[in-house]
Amino acid sequence: MKKLSFAVILILLIGNLFAGGIVTNTNQSAIYTRMQVRDATLGIDAVYFNPAGLSLLPNNGLFFSLNNQTLGQTRTITSNYTYLNESEYLGSVSAPVFPGIYAAYKMEKLTLSAGFNPIGGGGGGIYKSGLPSFEYAISELVPSLASQGATAYRMDVNFEGSSIFFGYQANVSYKINDMISVAIGGRYVTAKEAYNGYLRDIEVNMGGNWMRADAILSGIAAQADDGGDGLQPIIEGGGGTLTLAQAEGAGIISAVQRATIEGSLQAFGVPEENIAAMNIQQAQGAFYLAGDTYNAKASLLGDQTADMEKTATGITPIISINIHPSDMLNIALKYEHQTKLEFTNNTTEDFVTGIDPATGAPITMFPDGQKARYDIPSQIVAGATVKPIEKLMLTTGFHYYLDKNADWNGREEQLDGNSWEFALGAEYSLSDALQVSAGWLTTNNGVTEDYQTDLSFSLPSNSVGGGLGYQLNSMIQLNLAGSYTMYKTGEKNFSRVLGGNTIPITETYTKPIWIVAIGVNVNIGGK
């Protein structure tokens, strides 16, 4: 009966699926996929990777590039919490469309360019077997109600989401001299996330019969209220200030009644020493409090739906410099400023996740109108290409993300350092028309164990890619590529308290990714 479906890549919760930092996508062209590094490129994809390098395009005129990448990922999350129905949760993630579109117009020393790409997010996924975080509290219904015959639980959950940050970039590049070129530009980012789904039919098997969990807890709440109502005649008769022992001694209640009241209070979590000290009126308050508590828990286990979207916009200033000492060597530097993104919720329906103990008001997952920051951090990029011989090009790049300076609504405090990437690539020309290439990228993040959750985990990785470029004619180049990313297994240790006992839990996370890409580059300017 239980099914949990996610169509989700949650930048705010899950982080980034592609090459890049915790938030930023950097796999922005098909040539990147086959080389894993383009930071010092002098090609048309320099619109994103190296804007200053556009001043060294081979001729004046118009250049443009169309790219798409298709992604697939398997996420495996395990939990050793003893009360869960299963220990392994599998998710499949896909992004069939991940475009990169670039155009540049070169006029001698001046080049104007524009680009469009998903700077963060993109894709969708399905977790057919659910996630541990959705089940921990529900799984605890079974041990909590074991004395009443509970043996198993089940539920029907559906939660769908999407997250995409589109970047619209424009640059102006200028060639100062044959060696040095500079560029200034900016990116307008539009971010949108949408969530909808339901939580329903949470049931517990009670002595062989499946029963709704909210009905069970509402029944327990009614029993607690009945216990409080049963003491009202004593209070009205003037015995409200007597303890249970005093009431028995005065003949107001029998020994059996006293034992029943004390046993009921203990069943509702009142410590035995507290029961001995409380009077009848306090005992009634304890019953009513238990009733309120169980009614509140019942409300959290009823059928619920959610329908929400959140949006934000921001600007990313970008500066870069390209140094070209010779045809053999090219060096590029780029700095992307932090992009401030403040998201605002527009919620039609929402999941209730708790009750405020002070006011009794519901606590929801996506409060309407709530604002939260989740910036794209600034990054420093350095790259170089070397051509030791005419047919061979070697390239390298380093990316450093200033994550700790970003505002992630407090989550940046769970970092112990900034994330970075280092890459090496090579391209060899088999002929004037055909090039083959390969590359390697390693990523290290600065997250602590506290940062990790089953919905949002960031792991160190190694990626390999390869492919080919083919010059169809003097104007058109075709690029085909593929890559595979291997992540180190992540782990988080934490605990839950149940019945006064602290139970340790270990979760593990893995998520390999494959990408296939195709791109077409066009030079209309001519030779």
Side-chain angles (χ1 to χ4, degrees):
M1 177 180 179
K2 177 175 70 68
K3 53 185 178 182
L4 177 56
S5 169
F6 280 81
V8 61
I9 296 183
L10 307 178
I11 290 297
L12 298 184
L13 297 176
I14 298 180
N16 206 28
L17 285 176
F18 304 92
I22 296 175
V23 175
T24 312
N25 294 330
T26 58
N27 54 311
Q28 298 293 358
S29 72
I31 302 183
Y32 174 95
T33 304
R34 69 179 172 91
M35 296 189 70
Q36 297 297 293
V37 55
R38 294 290 286 170
D39 300 312
T41 177
L42 300 179
I44 180 60
D45 58 345
V47 172
Y48 171 78
F49 293 103
N50 178 26
L54 292 170
S55 297
L56 297 177
L57 286 169
N59 50 262
N60 292 333
L62 178 64
F63 299 76
F64 67 89
S65 177
L66 300 175
N67 304 266
N68 185 61
Q69 299 172 71
T70 298
L71 168 147
Q73 180 190 77
T74 300
R75 293 179 172 231
T76 303
I77 301 160
T78 68
S79 173
N80 65 353
Y81 194 48
T82 184
Y83 299 117
L84 293 174
N85 283 342
E86 52 195 293
S87 61
E88 186 175 81
Y89 296 76
L90 300 178
S92 59
V93 176
S94 65
V97 178
F98 188 88
I101 304 172
Y102 307 108
Y105 191 77
K106 183 183 177 187
M107 301 167 286
E108 299 298 340
K109 292 186 174 184
L110 181 68
T111 304
L112 305 179
S113 62
F116 167 77
N117 45 39
I119 198 66
I126 299 174
Y127 288 79
K128 293 183 178 179
S129 59
L131 285 171
S133 60
F134 274 71
E135 294 193 39
Y136 284 133
I138 294 171
S139 72
E140 290 166 355
L141 290 170
V142 176
S144 298
L145 299 173
S147 61
Q148 301 182 45
T151 58
Y153 71 93
R154 63 185 184 184
M155 63 183 181
D156 183 5
V157 180
N158 179 280
F159 185 79
E160 299 181 358
S162 62
S163 176
I164 187 69
F165 294 9
F166 284 124
Y168 305 83
Q169 184 171 337
N171 311 295
V172 178
S173 307
Y174 186 75
K175 183 179 179 181
I176 297 175
N177 53 44
D178 289 342
M179 180 181 294
I180 300 175
S181 300
V182 294
I184 186 169
R187 182 184 300 117
Y188 178 67
V189 178
T190 63
K192 179 180 178 180
E193 299 189 349
Y195 310 93
N196 64 85
Y198 58 78
L199 171 63
R200 65 192 185 196
D201 296 335
I202 300 174
E203 296 181 340
V204 178
N205 191 301
M206 303 292 288
N209 297 314
W210 287 102
M211 300 177 61
R212 288 184 60 93
D214 56 346
I216 295 171
L217 296 189
S218 293
I220 297 173
Q223 293 174 11
D225 289 340
D226 288 343
D229 293 343
L231 297 178
Q232 186 62 28
I234 301 175
I235 295 172
E236 292 177 352
T241 60
L242 300 175
T243 65
L244 292 174
Q246 290 170 339
E248 180 191 355
I252 297 173
I253 59 174
S254 67
V256 173
Q257 289 174 317
R258 174 187 171 185
T260 300
I261 295 169
E262 291 177 340
S264 298
L265 288 169
Q266 288 184 47
F268 289 125
V270 182
E272 185 175 353
E273 59 272 19
N274 291 2
I275 296 172
M278 66 175 49
N279 59 36
I280 298 293
Q281 193 161 348
Q282 292 170 333
Q284 183 188 55
F287 276 119
Y288 287 152
L289 177 60
D292 291 342
T293 300
Y294 276 96
N295 274 322
K297 291 179 178 179
S299 70
L300 301 179
L301 299 174
D303 294 347
Q304 301 186 60
T305 59
D307 186 0
M308 185 278 288
E309 72 175 29
K310 60 175 66 175
T311 56
T313 60
I315 299 290
T316 312
I318 302 168
I319 57 175
S320 69
I321 182 170
N322 191 84
I323 304 170
H324 191 67
S326 68
D327 290 341
M328 184 182 75
L329 176 65
N330 193 67
I331 301 169
L333 300 170
K334 182 179 70 168
Y335 179 73
E336 293 196 5
H337 290 255
Q338 182 171 306
T339 309
K340 176 184 175 181
L341 293 173
E342 183 176 68
F343 286 82
T344 302
N345 293 353
N346 180 12
T347 304
T348 304
E349 297 178 285
D350 205 352
F351 287 134
V352 177
T353 59
I355 303 295
D356 188 325
T359 65
I363 300 171
T364 60
M365 185 176 290
F366 308 111
D368 186 42
Q370 184 181 71
K371 298 180 182 294
R373 285 277 296 277
Y374 202 77
D375 302 337
I376 299 175
S378 53
Q379 61 171 301
I380 301 168
V381 179
T385 60
V386 179
K387 297 190 71 173
I389 59 175
E390 180 63 27
K391 290 187 175 184
L392 177 64
M393 181 180 71
L394 305 176
T395 183
T396 186
F398 179 77
H399 316 145
Y400 188 75
Y401 302 91
L402 280 72
D403 302 323
K404 296 188 72 173
N405 292 343
D407 186 342
W408 289 348
N409 204 36
R411 204 173 183 201
E412 71 279 2
E413 296 176 3
Q414 297 171 325
L415 303 175
D416 60 8
N418 294 315
S419 56
W420 56 266
E421 294 179 306
F422 177 72
L424 295 170
E427 181 182 74
Y428 187 79
S429 298
L430 296 176
S431 68
D432 289 340
L434 181 63
Q435 302 87 39
V436 295
S437 61
W440 162 78
L441 172 89
T442 186
T443 300
N444 188 53
N445 53 43
V447 305
T448 65
E449 190 174 277
D450 289 338
Y451 179 93
Q452 312 285 34
T453 73
D454 57 359
L455 272 174
S456 176
F457 51 91
S458 181
L459 308 172
S461 66
N462 285 280
S463 301
V464 293
L468 57 88
Y470 187 75
Q471 198 73 36
L472 297 176
N473 53 45
S474 61
M475 292 176 57
I476 302 173
Q477 181 195 40
L478 175 68
N479 290 284
L480 301 173
S483 67
Y484 187 77
T485 300
M486 299 151 286
Y487 289 86
K488 295 181 180 179
T489 299
E491 183 176 286
K492 181 174 184 176
N493 295 284
F494 57 102
S495 61
R496 292 181 66 87
V497 177
L498 179 63
N501 298 315
T502 300
I503 304 173
I505 302 172
T506 298
E507 287 183 351
T508 63
Y509 319 103
T510 58
K511 55 172 186 178
I513 301 173
W514 58 263
I515 296 175
V516 294
I518 183 170
V520 177
N521 297 338
V522 180
N523 176 358
I524 297 179
K527 297 294 184 183

